[in-house]
Amino acid sequence: MTDLIGALCGLVRGQLNNFFFFTIAAFNDCFGNDSVHTALDTTNQTAAANALLLQELLDAMSSDQQLGPDTLTSTCQDTDAVDSLDPNDISGPSGFGSLRWVPGGGPLAYGLFFTNDKTAASARDIVISDPLDKATLDINSLILGPISVGDQQVVPPSVPLSALGSFSADIDLRPVQDLIARLTSSLDVSTGVLTWHFESINPATGQPPTDPFLGFLLPGAEGSVTFSIKAKPGALTGTKISQKGTVFFDGKPLDTPVWFNTVDNTAPVSHVGALPTREDTSCFRPQWTGSDSGAGLQNFNVLVSDDGGPFSAWLDGTKASNALFKGEAGHSYGFYSLARDFVGNIQTPKRPPMQ
Amino acid sequence: MYAVSGGDVAGQSQVYGYSINPATRALTPLPKSPYPGSPRGTGEAVAIDPTNRFAYLTNSGTNNVSGFAIDASTGDLIPLPIPTYTAGSGPHGTGISLSGKYLYVNNTFDNTISGYHIDANSGKLTQLSASPFPAGPYPSNDVAFTPDGRFFYVPNSNYGGPGSVSAFSVASQTGLLTKLSGSPFPAGTNEQQVAVDPSGQFLYVSDGGASATNTYGFRIDSSTGNPTPLPGSPFATGEGRGLAIDPKGRFLFTENENTDALSSFLIDQSTGQLLQVGAPYAIAHGGSAGIIVDPTGNFVYVGSFAVPGIYGFRINQTTGALTVIPGSPFPSGLVPVSFAIATLKGTSGLSVEFVQPAKGGNAGTVTMQIVGSGFQSGATVKLTGFGSDIDGSNTTVLDPSVLATSFDLVGVSPGIRDVVVTNRDGTSITAEAAFTIESGGAPDVSVSIIGPNKIRVGFNQSFYASFTNSGSIDSGPRLFWLNLPADDDSSQIPAADSPTGNASSVGFVYAMNVGSIPSSVVGRSQLIPIVLPSLAARSSYTLQFKRKRSKKTLSKMCLAASRKITDLCDEWDRNWASVAALLASKHPASASSTPV
């Protein structure tokens, strides 16, 4: 009874950034139904249940709406099939929005693509060069990704290239062609220039073929190289990271387009709005709001504490700015919110909620 | 570590060599130290090339430069076959370009800078044809490059006249210096030392004028290299002699002659403003101008006019506060004016260059990659520093220069830890303060499709599915879905790793017939499940696939982490987590991805 009276008398325990406490002062039923958060039955998945789930999942996945690129955890890309195209291209993280926002801490994956013209001779010697911007990129974090020539693929070790020094591989094209494509990839740490060099090699002699028309990349064939690299630690939100490569087909340079991303290193902020110190119903509507510098605010986690107990999840990943909460009369509740932005930066509580 | 003493008897230039105790960071003179340079040479400054194979000493008394090879096992300095190289009048400050190809020397008394090409094999110097380059007035005893090596700065002492800092662009292919428009830029009265922060944004110059109490700060224009005074500059840092910045760019240290003190400052990363940390640290007869932060960023050494005259301090990585290293001050010659540190591989060949990631959360497991040399199969790794040691598990030596290991950090106290690698033969190396345990943390997995948005009709085109964990702990098993158009002529996914197959990659791909989840065609979509047993903290994994189309139409492909589609997928995650965990247990080498 003492506890109840204490709760009914409810003192404001203070608003602290994104925290807020208040006390329910009276009994009342809640008829709202907008805070649905249904727990899933996770017990004993059976094959039949899996089949049902699969069908539901496939149904969901078959809908473009379900897969819209509204977060970085799903992404879509339109591809146009055409008769002719620019043979060289570059692609990187799709990021979020038109500025292709990406988080600052994670690696950024890039691919450079090259295609030999279908009317051209076979290419003997191809160099791909990408001058990395040392002002915005952490050169030591660069790791080579898969490399492909025609139908062949090489996967370098997942080790920083600055530690490896360089990476070399022979791509055996036999029996389709009696050739080896010899690859050497290196990073000039002083200039930041990343290079892949493919040479045509006669397997019998270990030397370039004497036939000038023999080359490892056949007309119409394609190749690609990939790598990942991180932005420099502490890169400011809004920092543009651009990549542009050059492909040298037997010495003839062809530039790729520019691919850019924008770094978002700033976590969003949010706070729970003030509530009355006493509520006359057990059903009430906490509100919260937030903001973000960079990609923008995606959603909130809202946590609740009952009678000064530990905070626990109430709403996870809600995009709403308020929701109906059903409490119990005589209890004191505290709320706080944590915001997440569209690249995954999550607000850090400034300090633990006051109890 | 190598130190040049400016006050030795008869002006004999010589370099003092020290080994640095890997645990305590105390300095012990090398048995053959000091190493003579030039008789009556009066040593002024020392520089070491980026490969740690050659050292160069400026001799202001004999107007030349001494060259040495560094013995990689003992650290001894061995005079080059041609031991000295002609410089201008009064060579003082010296530095080597980031490429290691070029050496520059400030000739204080003829207002020039000498430039030399360094032979990568022998260390021999050849003066550049355009050298010397006009500089000054009175270029002083220090130089600094921007981190990209494009710009070069020299403080000008001018001996009581208006001080300044000269700025040059550096031609990376030829080593030629070109003075920037507007150079020299005014700064103080007697500029002594100069430093550029690792981000390349800020330039600081110490003023050693008799009445000066300042450090001048500038913002560097990243495209032109021009320095512009920072708001609030000059900063009251005490009469400036030595000046140094830690490798992470968080702290600046100044050595003050008048006050016999070493001062520590926090650098505001966005504004460049300096905020003093605590009170200055007293150094008997301080201010010899010798100062250096070691490559780990954890220790700073300063010189004094006293004997012994080298003081060492541990740097608190959070606050910048300093603690004296036991045994400090260390033996030295008279007036150590310049320091340089070479990182040698050591006789065991065991070394650690860096670890990735350098920080991780205590809410899960963090897989770390350690890059260095001399790692042996069977090596073990642990985190030490305070509290109980934390042993790494699933330690794999991928290469003598790289090993990977995983730490269960759940519930471990946050803080900075040392990383200790012990080889099977008992040799051990400690990377001090190399890893920081953060509070909390979570995986943060994102996906991206890397590929052109146009493909040629009738030809195979490569695409890549990229999976990234930007979070501070490993992800654990994850299910993804690749959704390709059902009307592609063909879609190729690399051969699936089967549960009993050779799982050599960091991720498994189950394209078909695994468990009860097949690749399926629904309406316009072909759905391909992809399972990654784990994606290490701050790492990525890239998977190639190919597509071919004969229809000249626009098509859409999608990649999604299942947990973000619907709660339905969360349930699938749980199913697949159990499957993937089982598979991962059968293929431990493939159970983690590699940090990048």
Side-chain angles (χ1 to χ4, degrees):
Chain A
M1 186 63 181
T2 303
D3 289 345
L4 179 60
I5 293 172
L8 288 170
C9 291
L11 296 172
V12 173
R13 293 179 178 169
Q15 185 178 7
L16 177 66
N17 294 322
N18 46 340
F19 314 116
F20 196 81
F21 291 84
F22 76 102
T23 300
I24 294 177
F27 298 90
N28 229 327
D29 285 331
C30 175
F31 299 101
N33 192 29
D34 61 351
S35 61
V36 175
H37 194 68
T38 307
L40 291 167
D41 176 10
T42 61
T43 58
N44 297 325
Q45 299 295 335
T46 64
N50 277 350
L52 287 174
L53 282 169
L54 175 61
Q55 189 55 55
E56 286 182 67
L57 185 59
L58 297 181
D59 290 346
M61 293 279 296
S62 64
S63 160
D64 287 348
Q65 192 175 7
Q66 287 286 339
L67 284 173
D70 58 344
T71 77
L72 296 181
T73 49
S74 67
T75 183
C76 292
Q77 179 174 319
D78 288 332
T79 309
D80 208 359
V82 296
D83 282 327
S84 62
L85 45 74
D86 187 337
N88 306 311
D89 207 348
I90 188 169
S91 177
S94 42
F96 177 79
S98 59
L99 294 180
R100 297 193 186 122
W101 292 98
V102 291
L108 308 170
Y110 297 93
L112 291 102
F113 302 84
F114 52 97
T115 305
N116 196 9
D117 193 279
K118 58 187 178 184
T119 62
S122 296
R124 291 167 62 92
D125 186 285
I126 295 179
V127 175
I128 302 111
S129 171
D130 188 348
L132 304 171
D133 182 1
K134 292 176 65 178
T136 57
L137 296 168
D138 177 5
I139 296 292
N140 277 333
S141 71
L142 185 141
I143 289 182
L144 294 177
I147 297 162
S148 78
V149 173
D151 291 330
Q152 303 276 355
Q153 188 188 29
V154 173
V155 181
S158 292
V159 173
L161 188 55
S162 61
L164 287 177
S166 63
F167 172 73
S168 300
D170 279 353
I171 304 171
D172 194 340
L173 304 176
R174 294 172 292 182
V176 177
Q177 294 187 83
D178 190 25
L179 282 176
I180 286 171
R182 178 160 293 167
L183 163 70
T184 304
S185 183
S186 60
L187 172 66
D188 185 331
V189 294
S190 63
T191 62
V193 176
L194 173 62
T195 305
W196 297 261
H197 185 186
F198 296 92
E199 296 174 276
S200 300
I201 297 294
N202 180 340
T205 65
Q207 299 296 318
T210 53
D211 182 346
F213 296 103
L214 277 180
F216 73 92
L217 196 64
L218 296 171
E222 57 103 19
S224 55
V225 296
T226 61
F227 66 97
S228 70
I229 191 168
K230 293 180 188 175
K232 270 200 165 177
L236 299 177
T237 294
T239 299
K240 281 273 192 307
I241 293 179
S242 299
Q243 299 283 356
K244 177 185 176 183
T246 302
V247 183
F248 296 82
F249 275 90
D250 291 325
K252 180 185 174 188
L254 294 167
D255 287 342
T256 72
V258 175
W259 185 274
F260 78 92
N261 289 96
T262 312
V263 173
D264 182 348
N265 249 339
T266 308
V269 295
S270 72
H271 67 271
V272 174
L275 285 164
T277 57
R278 296 162 61 109
E279 287 281 359
D280 294 330
T281 71
S282 61
C283 190
F284 51 91
R285 188 176 288 274
Q287 299 185 347
W288 49 90
T289 186
S291 62
D292 181 61
S293 171
L297 201 60
Q298 180 181 183
N299 57 35
F300 303 89
N301 287 352
V302 186
L303 296 91
V304 61
S305 164
D306 186 350
D307 278 342
F311 278 87
S312 59
W314 172 37
L315 301 173
D316 282 337
T318 181
K319 295 183 179 181
S321 58
N322 63 77
L324 210 55
F325 180 83
K326 183 180 181 182
E328 291 183 41
H331 286 235
S332 174
Y333 293 96
F335 296 88
Y336 79 94
S337 60
L338 291 176
R340 175 188 172 100
D341 68 16
F342 277 110
V343 298
N345 292 318
I346 299 174
Q347 176 181 10
T348 304
K350 289 189 176 176
R351 57 185 166 122
M354 275 165 63
Q355 300 294 312
Chain B
M1 184 171 105
Y2 300 95
V4 177
S5 290
D8 282 345
V9 178
Q12 167 69 53
S13 78
Q14 46 194 6
V15 180
Y16 290 74
Y18 303 85
S19 62
I20 302 177
N21 185 300
T24 66
R25 313 306 282 190
L27 303 180
T28 302
L30 296 176
K32 296 181 182 176
S33 172
Y35 305 96
S38 175
R40 298 176 301 283
T42 308
E44 297 290 353
V46 62
I48 291 174
D49 84 307
T51 66
N52 296 307
R53 292 185 299 148
F54 306 113
Y56 301 93
L57 165 68
T58 55
N59 305 306
S60 65
T62 47
N63 295 334
N64 58 15
V65 178
S66 297
F68 303 89
I70 300 174
D71 186 311
S73 59
T74 65
D76 286 334
L77 298 185
I78 303 161
L80 295 178
I82 300 174
T84 56
Y85 301 87
T86 301
S89 178
H92 276 70
T94 184
I96 295 174
S97 66
L98 300 188
S99 67
K101 292 180 179 176
Y102 304 105
L103 173 81
Y104 301 96
V105 172
N106 297 344
N107 300 309
T108 302
F109 303 133
D110 64 11
N111 296 324
T112 63
I113 295 173
S114 295
Y116 306 84
H117 176 263
I118 302 173
D119 185 284
N121 295 315
S122 67
K124 175 188 169 188
L125 300 181
T126 304
Q127 191 149 180
L128 302 175
S129 57
S131 172
F133 306 97
Y138 300 101
S140 186
N141 56 2
D142 198 15
V143 303
F145 294 89
T146 50
D148 60 9
R150 294 168 57 211
F151 303 108
F152 177 70
Y153 301 91
V154 174
N156 298 315
S157 58
N158 205 13
Y159 291 97
S164 61
V165 57
S166 291
F168 303 84
S169 63
V170 184
S172 61
Q173 298 301 316
T174 63
L176 298 184
L177 300 179
T178 303
K179 192 180 287 188
L180 300 186
S181 174
S183 176
F185 300 90
T189 59
N190 185 10
E191 303 313 298
Q192 294 286 321
Q193 294 206 355
V194 63
V196 174
D197 85 306
S199 74
Q201 293 185 88
F202 307 117
L203 167 74
Y204 299 94
V205 188
S206 65
D207 186 357
S211 59
T213 57
N214 300 319
T215 292
Y216 286 74
F218 300 85
R219 183 179 290 277
I220 299 173
D221 185 307
S222 61
S223 54
T224 67
N226 279 331
T228 304
L230 292 171
S233 174
F235 305 107
T237 57
E239 180 266 334
R241 297 279 289 181
L243 179 73
I245 294 176
D246 83 295
K248 295 174 183 169
R250 292 175 299 169
F251 310 116
L252 178 144
F253 304 96
T254 63
E255 190 193 19
N256 316 122
E257 183 176 5
N258 287 351
T259 54
D260 293 333
L262 173 68
S263 300
S264 176
F265 299 85
L266 278 169
I267 302 174
D268 186 304
Q269 302 289 304
S270 57
T271 67
Q273 303 294 304
L274 302 179
L275 177 67
Q276 184 152 10
V277 177
Y281 298 83
I283 295 174
H285 303 289
S288 74
I291 184 169
I292 193 168
V293 179
D294 85 327
T296 71
N298 295 306
F299 301 90
V300 58
Y301 298 92
V302 296
S304 81
F305 288 96
V307 175
I310 300 178
Y311 288 73
F313 297 86
R314 178 185 287 271
I315 304 167
N316 182 304
Q317 294 297 297
T318 304
T319 65
L322 302 175
T323 309
V324 173
I325 297 173
S328 172
F330 302 107
S332 70
L334 276 175
V335 195
V337 292
S338 174
F339 299 137
I341 293 177
T343 303
L344 306 181
K345 299 295 184 187
T347 51
S348 71
L350 185 59
S351 70
V352 172
E353 291 184 25
F354 57 88
V355 305
Q356 293 207 45
K359 56 178 80 170
N362 68 357
T365 297
V366 174
T367 297
M368 172 193 292
Q369 203 173 65
I370 303 171
V371 175
S373 64
F375 301 138
Q376 299 170 349
S377 177
T380 60
V381 186
K382 62 184 176 182
L383 300 179
T384 65
F386 63 89
S388 302
D389 292 353
I390 305 162
D391 293 322
S393 61
N394 294 327
T395 302
T396 306
V397 176
L398 305 169
D399 177 278
S401 65
V402 183
L403 67 77
T405 191
S406 297
F407 295 103
D408 181 355
L409 300 181
V410 174
V412 171
S413 298
I416 296 171
R417 303 299 176 99
D418 299 337
V419 178
V420 181
V421 180
T422 303
N423 264 339
R424 197 179 55 242
D425 64 7
T427 56
S428 182
I429 186 82
T430 300
E432 294 198 16
F435 188 72
T436 301
I437 299 173
E438 301 172 322
S439 181
D444 182 10
V445 176
S446 60
V447 296
S448 192
I449 294 174
I450 310 294
N453 53 22
K454 287 186 178 178
I455 63 177
R456 185 176 288 165
V457 167
F459 286 85
N460 274 319
Q461 176 64 54
S462 292
F463 292 88
Y464 295 90
S466 173
F467 310 88
T468 297
N469 179 7
S470 302
S472 57
I473 63 174
D474 296 355
S475 71
R478 284 294 169 91
L479 169 63
F480 303 87
W481 293 93
L482 180 61
N483 177 357
L484 299 177
D487 62 351
D488 274 4
D489 287 4
S490 64
S491 301
Q492 302 171 23
I493 299 290
D497 289 319
S498 72
T500 56
N502 176 23
S504 58
S505 67
V506 293
F508 295 88
V509 178
Y510 300 101
M512 296 289 288
N513 303 324
V514 175
S516 60
I517 302 183
S519 170
S520 304
V521 174
V522 176
R524 291 175 293 122
S525 297
Q526 177 189 192
L527 293 170
I528 300 161
I530 299 170
V531 174
L532 299 185
S534 185
L535 201 52
R538 297 186 170 100
S539 77
S540 69
Y541 173 62
T542 303
L543 170 73
Q544 185 196 43
F545 62 97
K546 294 197 173 198
R547 294 178 57 196
K548 185 161 82 173
R549 290 181 66 79
S550 60
K551 297 177 181 175
K552 284 193 279 187
T553 55
L554 200 64
S555 61
K556 181 186 287 285
M557 58 181 164
C558 295
L559 178 65
S562 63
R563 66 183 173 87
K564 293 304 293 181
I565 299 175
T566 64
D567 285 347
L568 188 63
C569 290
D570 287 343
E571 193 166 352
W572 275 109
D573 268 353
R574 283 188 284 273
N575 286 349
W576 276 92
S578 61
V579 174
L582 176 63
L583 297 173
S585 69
K586 293 181 177 178
H587 304 283
S590 63
S592 63
S593 56
T594 308
V596 294

